[in-house]
Amino acid sequence: MSSKKETLQFKTEVQQLLNLIINSLYSNKDIFLRELISNASDAIDKLRFKAQTEPDILGNDTEYKIKITPDGIKQTIEISDNGIGMTYNEVMENIGTIAKSGTAAFLEAISEAQQQDTLTPELIGQFGVGFYSSFIVADKVSLLTRAAGEEKATLWESIGDGSYTIEEATKRTRGTQITLHLKKKEKDEKDFTEEWTIRRIVKQHSDFVSYPIVMDVEKDEPIPEAEQLLDKEGKPVGKTTRKVIQEEALNSMKAIWIQDKKDVTQEEYDEFYKHISHDWNPPLTQLHLKLEGTTEYHALLYIPSQVPFDLFNPEHKHGINLYCKRVFIMDDCEDLMPEYFRFIKGVVDAPDLNLNVSREILQQDKLVRNIRKNLVKKIIDLLGNMDKEVYDKFYNEFGSILKIGIHMDSENRDKIARLARYQTTKTEGKRISLAEYIANMKAEQNDIYFITGENLASLLNNPHLEQLKEKDFEVILMADPIDEWVVQSLTEFEGKPFKSAEKGDLDIQKVDDGKKEEFNALFSFIKSHLENKVKEVTPSTRLKDSASCLSGKDYDMSAYMEKIMKATGQKAPEVKRILELNMDHPLVVKIKAIYDKERNDPVLKDYSDLLYDMAVIGEGGKLDNPSRFTKMVGDLMSSALNV
């Protein structure tokens, strides 16, 4: 590593990010201090954890703290910590480029928010790019850092113009020191070097940080009597106090999760949520637990009010921070929360946890497994007892993720299924529970009917439902891709089996055997012509108004599942469908008449193709040869209009 100063260019996505931050009109610029304090706290967390196994790494510097040093004359503000620090290479990796922080997703989200005029500060924190919020208030940023256990330091500087410099430097102690050279203050803007401004921001946004956030403040101190001037009568002459500089902690450092919940206000809950989640919006609700007994732990969990922008990003982290006796162990603790609850944020403090625990050991830790089991039960209970209006808000945001649990968590499958909500052919856009569906079932109805697809409107008008609607049987409309996996795992509910409206025999309409005999020859002809596409041609028990539809055997893949697999690049197994024909439909009747009159009429093959194409369109599929279909329909219309 050379001591020569290097001038390097930011990666394109970083420059895009800086341009957005510098030029975006954030309504609350305080975010920069919150984010830098949060980063400093994380750096101390990492050092504190490392010191559990390497105590010598601390040396004589064992009092953790974050220090803010404002300078009103120079118009600078400095945020320093005695955390783990960074090496030269780590600065290059973490500051020069942020590809690991979900940059593309961040830029997409912030661009969309700008268009919708909903640009809010939480976007910066959510995507792990909090350091760059410095450029909201600063036109130059200097970062001096020295990694724990290293002798050399690194200095990084940028004016946010697309480039930065980096060089070796000297620093007496470990940790990171960030100096912001503040932009010229506009009229009526707050001065971030003023003591009361800093106090207010720290109190509002960082009061719960676990380490002292300190600042040098000027205070009045009594002058000792021995140093005072006295008159002849022994009374003090002149001042009895003098100005001194003292280091004062600005935050309470409350470990809010171990307090009794009756002593915590909702405002404190909401502010702590913002601190750990970087979400500017208040949470939907929180769950504050203290469990005593064989398994002891404290937990404070939050359900966000909105889906995080990066929830479906592969780099998205689970939101649970794990502590042991207030000592940070790790963030992104996947083992404490299942995938279908990955949107939940919070803290778990387990006093009996091994401080030397690694991620590999954590997976096998019996205590962790017990905590996870209890937390899942408590969250399911919380959701199940929510007011309808609040739960509807939750489900609008997180319903699709929650349903993953029906497929993945066999132990809690039935409980999660009770939380699922669906629109049906009778609810007119509203969602109901599976229990409500069963309560509404007809006396003669034995099955829970459902149909899957990508569009609620097309499902509602799907030909497969015609006879079910005629019988006044309610059908659940499943327009979420995860529902395909739900119905594979959830085969029944409260003793009622699930029955696909597009597969198997619905057992709701009997076929006239005599009429079937009359159509057998035509059906055999059509099957022979379409043998590469269908495995059977049968009379339909589903249709009433439509001429044709495609169905499958009970255990065949649904049309929607096949579409999902193809869309995601997976190779779907070749499954031929069953072409069902409505023997009462005028089109089918007339085709039979042509067949009975002249079995070699070439138009019969065209009509067979037409019936198949109509079935594909009816279920929302795509035709292999749409131009041929258009021509055939045009010819039919022309013939019908030929007066």
Side-chain angles (χ1 to χ4, degrees), residues 486-511:
V486 167
V487 293
Q488 288 180 27
S489 306
L490 190 69
T491 56
E492 66 171 26
F493 185 78
E494 292 187 357
K496 301 290 185 181
F498 279 83
K499 180 67 179 173
S500 171
E502 64 165 322
K503 293 194 291 184
D505 189 349
L506 296 184
D507 293 327
I508 59 172
Q509 182 76 9
K510 296 299 180 184
V511 174

Side-chain angles (χ1 to χ4, degrees), residues 537-548:
V537 179
T538 65
S540 180
T541 60
R542 292 173 169 80
L543 301 175
K544 181 177 184 296
D545 301 315
S546 300
S548 60

Side-chain angles (χ1 to χ4, degrees), residues 594 603 607 631-643:
I594 296 173
V603 79
Y607 287 163
K631 181 180 182 303
M632 291 173 63
V633 171
D635 291 345
L636 280 173
M637 291 177 68
S638 176
S639 175
L641 294 171
N642 188 15
V643 181

Side-chain angles (χ1 to χ4, degrees), residues 417-590:
R418 290 185 181 280
L419 297 172
R421 299 290 185 269
Y422 289 102
Q423 293 187 40
T424 76
T425 49
K426 292 186 176 184
T427 56
E428 299 180 343
K430 297 179 181 178
R431 295 192 188 100
I432 62 170
S433 67
L434 295 176
E436 288 174 304
Y437 175 93
I438 289 176
N440 296 335
M441 284 173 60
K442 297 288 183 182
E444 67 272 24
Q445 183 181 343
N446 298 314
D447 300 316
I448 299 173
Y449 294 109
F450 72 91
I451 187 166
T452 60
E454 60 185 336
N455 184 300
L456 280 170
S458 63
L459 287 181
L460 191 58
N461 297 291
N462 194 298
H464 293 93
L465 309 185
E466 290 174 357
Q467 282 293 345
L468 288 166
K469 289 179 180 178
E470 179 70 11
K471 299 286 185 182
D472 198 29
F473 289 166
E474 191 171 17
V475 183
I476 295 174
L477 308 175
M478 297 184 169
D480 191 335
I482 189 60
D483 289 326
E484 283 288 350
W485 283 269
V486 167
V487 293
Q488 288 180 27
S489 306
L490 190 69
T491 56
E492 66 171 26
F493 185 78
E494 292 187 357
K496 301 290 185 181
F498 279 83
K499 180 67 179 173
S500 171
E502 64 165 322
K503 293 194 291 184
D505 189 349
L506 296 184
D507 293 327
I508 59 172
Q509 182 76 9
K510 296 299 180 184
V511 174
D512 185 323
D513 290 335
K515 185 178 285 188
K516 178 182 177 183
E517 187 71 26
E518 295 175 13
F519 278 81
N520 274 346
L522 173 63
F523 286 3
S524 295
F525 170 84
I526 296 173
K527 177 185 176 184
S528 176
H529 176 65
L530 299 174
E531 62 181 349
N532 292 329
K533 297 179 179 178
V534 302
K535 58 183 171 186
E536 291 180 39
V537 179
T538 65
S540 180
T541 60
R542 292 173 169 80
L543 301 175
K544 181 177 184 296
D545 301 315
S546 300
S548 60
C549 71
L550 291 169
S551 65
K553 297 290 187 183
D554 280 320
Y555 298 104
D556 282 352
M557 179 184 296
S558 72
Y560 188 39
M561 176 61 91
E562 185 177 354
K563 187 178 291 187
I564 291 171
M565 293 186 69
K566 288 179 179 178
T568 54
Q570 301 177 65
K571 188 174 181 181
E574 198 66 39
V575 178
K576 292 181 181 179
R577 311 281 297 287
I578 298 169
L579 178 63
E580 294 190 13
L581 299 178
N582 183 353
M583 295 185 297
D584 295 324
H585 196 280
L587 175 60
V588 179
V589 171
K590 289 180 179 179

Side-chain angles (χ1 to χ4, degrees), residues 380-400:
I380 290 175
D381 289 345
L382 174 69
L383 295 173
N385 292 320
M386 274 184 178
D387 292 338
K388 184 181 185 305
E389 184 179 349
V390 178
Y391 187 73
D392 285 345
K393 289 180 182 177
F394 163 79
Y395 200 82
N396 284 336
E397 297 289 328
F398 301 104
S400 295

Side-chain angles (χ1 to χ4, degrees), residues 564-630:
I564 291 171
M565 293 186 69
K566 288 179 179 178
T568 54
Q570 301 177 65
K571 188 174 181 181
E574 198 66 39
V575 178
K576 292 181 181 179
R577 311 281 297 287
I578 298 169
L579 178 63
E580 294 190 13
L581 299 178
N582 183 353
M583 295 185 297
D584 295 324
H585 196 280
L587 175 60
V588 179
V589 171
K590 289 180 179 179
I591 292 173
K592 179 181 180 298
I594 296 173
Y595 178 80
D596 290 343
K597 183 178 180 180
E598 178 51 68
R599 297 192 174 193
N600 294 320
D601 192 327
V603 79
L604 289 169
K605 291 183 178 180
D606 289 340
Y607 287 163
S608 298
D609 291 330
L610 182 66
L611 288 170
Y612 178 80
D613 287 349
M614 289 168 61
V616 171
I617 291 172
E619 66 180 16
K622 291 184 178 180
L623 300 179
D624 294 333
N625 192 345
S627 60
R628 182 196 62 182
F629 175 79
T630 303

Side-chain angles (χ1 to χ4, degrees), residues 128-300:
V129 291
F131 170 76
Y132 295 94
S133 64
S134 304
F135 288 97
I136 295 175
V137 296
D139 51 23
K140 179 182 177 182
V141 178
S142 301
L143 179 145
L144 179 63
T145 185
R146 175 181 160 190
E150 298 287 330
E151 293 297 323
K152 295 179 180 179
T154 301
L155 175 63
W156 178 100
E157 291 186 318
S158 176
I159 58 173
D161 62 346
S163 66
Y164 60 92
T165 62
I166 185 169
E167 61 183 310
E168 282 186 357
T170 57
K171 186 175 185 295
R172 189 172 55 84
T173 57
R174 68 162 189 269
T176 300
Q177 171 186 308
I178 298 172
T179 304
L180 309 185
H181 300 263
L182 299 172
K183 296 176 182 178
K184 186 176 180 181
K185 189 171 73 74
E186 299 293 332
K187 186 179 179 182
D188 298 328
E189 275 193 328
K190 65 188 73 171
D191 184 348
F192 290 107
T193 65
E194 289 184 350
E195 180 184 324
W196 71 270
T197 301
I198 295 171
R199 284 182 180 276
R200 180 188 57 77
I201 295 173
V202 171
K203 186 65 179 175
Q204 183 176 357
H205 301 303
S206 305
D207 196 45
F208 306 106
V209 170
S210 302
Y211 309 105
I213 302 169
V214 302
M215 182 170 64
D216 289 340
V217 296
E218 189 177 69
K219 291 191 173 183
D220 289 326
E221 177 186 75
I223 298 174
E225 288 186 11
E227 299 178 18
Q228 291 182 14
L229 294 174
L230 304 177
D231 60 17
K232 294 179 180 179
E233 298 177 359
K235 294 179 180 180
V237 175
K239 294 182 178 180
T240 58
T241 62
R242 60 190 173 193
K243 299 291 185 183
V244 293
I245 301 298
Q246 293 183 359
E247 194 174 83
E248 179 184 335
L250 307 180
N251 58 322
S252 67
M253 293 175 286
K254 292 179 182 176
I256 189 173
W257 60 88
I258 64 173
Q259 295 183 61
D260 193 311
K261 56 185 175 184
K262 73 176 187 300
D263 298 327
V264 184
T265 67
Q266 188 59 50
E267 183 181 8
E268 289 175 318
Y269 277 131
D270 290 353
E271 287 304 324
F272 183 65
Y273 168 74
K274 292 175 185 177
H275 167 64
I276 62 170
S277 69
H278 302 285
D279 184 352
W280 213 251
N281 303 295
L284 184 68
T285 189
Q286 72 271 338
L287 181 65
H288 194 171
L289 301 170
K290 179 183 179 182
L291 190 72
E292 296 177 319
T294 307
T295 302
E296 292 191 6
Y297 66 91
H298 292 83
L300 177 53

